[in-house]
């Protein structure tokens, strides 16, 4: 099993499509070789860590 990375100092970013109106947003952060995803309004709830291939599939699916 892998260990949980320390995410306190990773560079989280929101999509440019996420306005400042407080809508539903996700943030992403690079965790070489993975990508972390979290709810921007509830970051303490947890983080989803995906491989680059799984991230592409995730974005493709939710972007429909």
């Amino acid at each position: 099993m892998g260990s949980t990375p320390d995410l306190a100092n990773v560079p989280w970013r929101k999509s440019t499509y996420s306005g400042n109106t407080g809508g539903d947003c996700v943030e992403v952060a690079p965790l070489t070789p993975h990508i972390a995803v979290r709810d921007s309004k509830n970051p303490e709830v947890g983080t989803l860590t995906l491989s680059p291939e799984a991230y592409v599939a995730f974005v493709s699916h939710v972007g429909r």
Side-chain angles (χ1 to χ4, degrees), residues 1-61:
M1 266 193 213
S3 62
T4 303
D6 179 11
L7 302 175
N9 295 313
V10 298
W12 291 99
R13 69 174 183 86
K14 284 192 231 181
S15 167
T16 57
Y17 292 104
S18 300
N20 294 326
T21 59
D24 297 329
C25 301
V26 296
E27 295 176 308
V28 297
L31 300 176
T32 304
H34 296 92
I35 299 162
V37 181
R38 71 180 183 183
D39 180 348
S40 65
K41 294 189 329 188
N42 244 342
E44 66 282 346
V45 170
T47 302
L48 178 64
T49 304
L50 303 168
S51 69
E53 297 82 10
Y55 180 73
V56 169
F58 171 76
V59 170
S60 176
H61 181 74

